Amino acid sequence: MQPENCPENSQLYRFLAENGMINVGSYGFPAAMQTLCTSSSTSYHNSNYHFESSVITDMTPQDRALAALKNHKEAEKRRRERINSHLDKLRDLLPCNSKTDKASLLAKVVQRVRELKQQTSELPGLETFPSETDEVTVLSGEYSSDGQLIFKASLCCEDRSDLMPDLIEILKSLHLKTLKAEMVTLGGRIRNVLIIAADKDHSVESVHFLQNALKSLLERSNSTERSKRRRVLDRKLIIQ
Amino acid sequence: MQPENCPENSQLYRFLAENGMINVGSYGFPAAMQTLCTSSSTSYHNSNYHFESSVITDMTPQDRALAALKNHKEAEKRRRERINSHLDKLRDLLPCNSKTDKASLLAKVVQRVRELKQQTSELPGLETFPSETDEVTVLSGEYSSDGQLIFKASLCCEDRSDLMPDLIEILKSLHLKTLKAEMVTLGGRIRNVLIIAADKDHSVESVHFLQNALKSLLERSNSTERSKRRRVLDRKLIIQ
DNA sequence: ATTCACACGTGATGC
DNA sequence: TGCATCACGTGTGAA
């Protein structure tokens, strides 16, 4: 807890304060008590203030504006704190001391994630079964003799019945041909590994588009509630 | 390239501008050309103004202040861009679409790094040899029958002659006893794995302090130039 | 004295 | 409308 940083120093604040808004501190909503959540950073429950009608009706437009401003200010502060707390966690996780730059820290994180991603993808046997974490991997691939770009795409997520139609639709819309497909499900999760051929004309863009499309596909999977997670038969299917 | 964001909207700017500083755009020093570093994503080309010496000598204090302000503004903008570009890279690396929150994105990153770190630390055989990436791992450990906390600490970094003395000094200052030590070097890099006992009184704090101390040790290793990287004999030493 | 990184409060924008 | 996020310009302290 650092001492309050005296926003009264601000010219604008002084300007407003001198115009008769004295008790700035008494207005405004209480900042929603933020409970520490493990990872997802977003627990904005209990924004339930019950205030009497008189409080509302007594608010002049100026008061409302000031209250909104204060609210906004505090919300922004909470947002910063949330982001910074995650950055601190990352500082703990990576080999760097506590006073490294935000930018350098993030650079290290990028590097580390790339490395780890590569390491795990190189591990034999781990790739065949679906993992517990969602994943989209699109490797750069090579050009075949006739100029087509051949590359590998992998998608690991919760299984759902309309996943394959969506996937097929995506591939069709991007004019991508599936040369080989490997599909493994285990415990309600699925891993798809596709070998794909892209037309020579827009091959690079297609790869990038595909990556984004797969990610949004995956987001859609996540937005559907977990409670619907039906138990499906584990199956392994290889088309080639 | 978005259209200029008209800082003239700002009240302060307007205030300054109305006091006779009309041609704000023509003043200002060129931002110091920032050299491109590999990872930091910053292409700050073409801020090349070449001004005659008269320009400098003609600077009134007001001009200098304005120039400094502009400089500062631009530097800050560059900093933001640097950070955000790293965040964008992380967005590409993780399974999330391009419009996910900064905070949520970072939460995912934390989760991912934790997972990957755990995965790789569980892999047999990979841990014995020093890796190419610097690493500090301090596992939580267990309490022995006499109340001491027994835990494992691992440190992987460039080898250097005064690493061991530093390490010993750290352990001594934290009142930690080394029960078992394993040291493997390969190609100028070293991996230390220590089994450590902490006094019952400040065991938890000691673990945390140790982690930070090891990290700063590692930072010191990095700050010494790589050119001094002497070729040392690979060795494997186990004390127990 | 200059540079650098950070936190802050604010306006804009989206839902 | 209110409540999110974001980019921005600024003040400030450390090297």
Side-chain angles (χ1 to χ4, degrees):
Chain A
M1 289 298 173
Q2 50 188 348
E4 282 293 306
N5 236 357
C6 293
E8 285 72 30
N9 289 338
S10 156
Q11 301 186 14
L12 180 55
Y13 245 88
R14 211 154 36 197
F15 173 77
L16 291 177
E18 285 163 359
N19 281 20
M21 340 291 190
I22 316 146
N23 43 1
V24 180
S26 69
Y27 288 115
F29 295 144
M33 204 54 184
Q34 196 105 357
T35 59
L36 295 177
C37 65
T38 57
S39 67
S40 87
S41 78
T42 46
S43 58
Y44 313 132
H45 40 56
N46 76 4
S47 51
N48 48 347
Y49 324 127
H50 37 77
F51 38 84
E52 309 80 0
S53 59
S54 66
V55 176
I56 299 184
T57 55
D58 287 356
M59 298 268 277
T60 72
Q62 296 181 1
D63 293 343
R64 289 192 65 84
L66 268 186
L69 201 65
K70 194 187 180 198
N71 231 3
H72 183 35
K73 186 168 50 170
E74 289 168 349
E76 183 62 16
K77 183 170 177 61
R78 283 197 299 274
R79 174 179 166 268
R80 278 194 301 264
E81 286 172 351
R82 218 177 329 146
I83 292 176
N84 285 335
S85 87
H86 287 310
L87 289 178
D88 286 338
K89 287 183 206 158
L90 285 174
R91 279 195 183 91
D92 268 355
L93 252 51
L94 290 195
C96 63
N97 55 11
S98 62
K99 52 182 282 304
T100 46
D101 246 343
K102 268 183 198 177
S104 322
L105 170 66
L106 286 177
K108 284 186 181 182
V109 171
V110 170
Q111 185 191 359
R112 192 96 176 105
V113 172
R114 286 215 177 104
E115 286 174 6
L116 293 175
K117 197 165 182 160
Q118 191 186 9
Q119 278 184 22
T120 54
S121 77
E122 282 172 355
L123 295 174
L126 281 187
E127 203 179 7
T128 50
F129 285 110
S131 64
E132 271 302 309
T133 59
D134 291 342
E135 254 188 55
V136 169
T137 315
V138 177
L139 299 176
S140 50
E142 299 171 353
Y143 285 91
S144 67
S145 55
D146 58 344
Q148 278 189 329
L149 179 62
I150 312 293
F151 65 97
K152 187 162 103 172
S154 170
L155 169 72
C156 182
C157 64
E158 293 285 313
D159 197 6
R160 54 185 174 90
S161 57
D162 51 349
L163 184 67
M164 291 308 290
D166 288 348
L167 193 53
I168 291 171
E169 186 57 34
I170 289 173
L171 292 170
K172 199 163 62 177
S173 70
L174 290 173
H175 299 103
L176 296 173
K177 265 186 296 183
T178 304
L179 304 182
K180 191 176 147 190
E182 198 175 303
M183 185 182 83
V184 184
T185 72
L186 177 65
R189 291 188 63 82
I190 185 171
R191 160 159 268 142
N192 279 292
V193 180
L194 307 172
I195 305 298
I196 301 176
D199 273 348
K200 58 182 72 174
D201 288 339
H202 306 93
S203 54
V204 183
E205 299 91 324
S206 295
V207 172
H208 199 239
F209 281 142
L210 178 64
Q211 178 159 14
N212 287 330
L214 291 183
K215 279 192 210 165
S216 60
L217 192 66
L218 204 144
E219 286 290 315
R220 250 178 292 162
S221 290
N222 278 345
S223 64
T224 65
E225 317 94 72
R226 291 292 171 116
S227 61
K228 283 194 178 178
R229 183 167 169 171
R230 289 157 296 126
R231 177 55 65 178
V232 288
L233 288 181
D234 299 334
R235 61 198 189 276
K236 176 163 182 168
L237 172 64
I238 298 184
I239 309 166
Q240 77 183 43
Chain B
M1 291 298 174
Q2 49 189 349
E4 281 294 303
N5 237 359
C6 294
E8 285 73 29
N9 290 338
S10 156
Q11 301 186 15
L12 179 56
Y13 247 88
R14 210 152 36 193
F15 173 77
L16 290 176
E18 284 165 358
N19 281 21
M21 338 292 190
I22 316 144
N23 43 2
V24 181
S26 68
Y27 288 115
F29 291 145
M33 203 56 184
Q34 197 109 353
T35 60
L36 296 176
C37 66
T38 58
S39 64
S40 86
S41 79
T42 47
S43 57
Y44 319 127
H45 38 59
N46 77 9
S47 52
N48 48 347
Y49 325 128
H50 35 79
F51 43 85
E52 311 80 1
S53 59
S54 65
V55 176
I56 298 184
T57 56
D58 287 355
M59 295 273 277
T60 73
Q62 297 181 358
D63 292 343
R64 290 191 64 84
L66 269 186
L69 201 65
K70 192 187 180 195
N71 232 1
H72 184 35
K73 187 169 48 171
E74 288 168 349
E76 183 61 17
K77 183 172 178 60
R78 283 197 299 272
R79 175 178 165 269
R80 279 194 301 265
E81 286 172 352
R82 222 177 325 152
I83 292 176
N84 285 334
S85 88
H86 287 312
L87 288 178
D88 285 339
K89 286 183 205 156
L90 285 175
R91 269 184 249 266
D92 268 355
L93 251 50
L94 291 194
C96 63
N97 56 10
S98 62
K99 53 181 284 301
T100 46
D101 246 344
K102 270 184 196 177
S104 318
L105 170 66
L106 286 177
K108 285 187 181 182
V109 171
V110 170
Q111 184 190 0
R112 192 96 176 105
V113 171
R114 284 213 178 106
E115 287 173 4
L116 293 175
K117 195 166 184 161
Q118 191 187 7
Q119 280 184 20
T120 55
S121 77
E122 282 173 356
L123 295 175
L126 281 186
E127 202 177 7
T128 52
F129 285 110
S131 62
E132 273 300 310
T133 59
D134 290 343
E135 253 186 57
V136 169
T137 314
V138 177
L139 298 178
S140 50
E142 300 170 355
Y143 284 94
S144 68
S145 56
D146 59 342
Q148 278 190 328
L149 179 63
I150 312 293
F151 64 97
K152 189 162 101 170
S154 171
L155 170 72
C156 183
C157 64
E158 293 285 312
D159 198 4
R160 57 186 173 86
S161 58
D162 50 349
L163 184 67
M164 290 309 288
D166 287 348
L167 194 51
I168 291 171
E169 186 58 33
I170 289 174
L171 292 171
K172 199 163 62 178
S173 70
L174 289 173
H175 300 103
L176 297 173
K177 266 186 297 185
T178 304
L179 303 183
K180 191 176 148 192
E182 199 176 301
M183 186 181 80
V184 184
T185 72
L186 176 65
R189 293 188 63 81
I190 185 172
R191 158 158 271 141
N192 279 291
V193 181
L194 307 173
I195 305 297
I196 300 176
D199 272 348
K200 57 182 72 171
D201 288 339
H202 307 93
S203 53
V204 183
E205 300 90 325
S206 296
V207 172
H208 199 236
F209 280 142
L210 178 65
Q211 177 157 16
N212 287 330
L214 291 183
K215 279 191 213 167
S216 62
L217 192 67
L218 204 145
E219 285 291 314
R220 251 179 291 162
S221 291
N222 277 346
S223 63
T224 65
E225 318 92 71
R226 293 292 172 114
S227 61
K228 284 193 177 178
R229 183 167 168 171
R230 288 157 297 129
R231 178 55 64 180
V232 289
L233 288 181
D234 298 335
R235 64 199 187 273
K236 176 164 184 170
L237 171 66
I238 298 184
I239 308 167
Q240 76 183 44

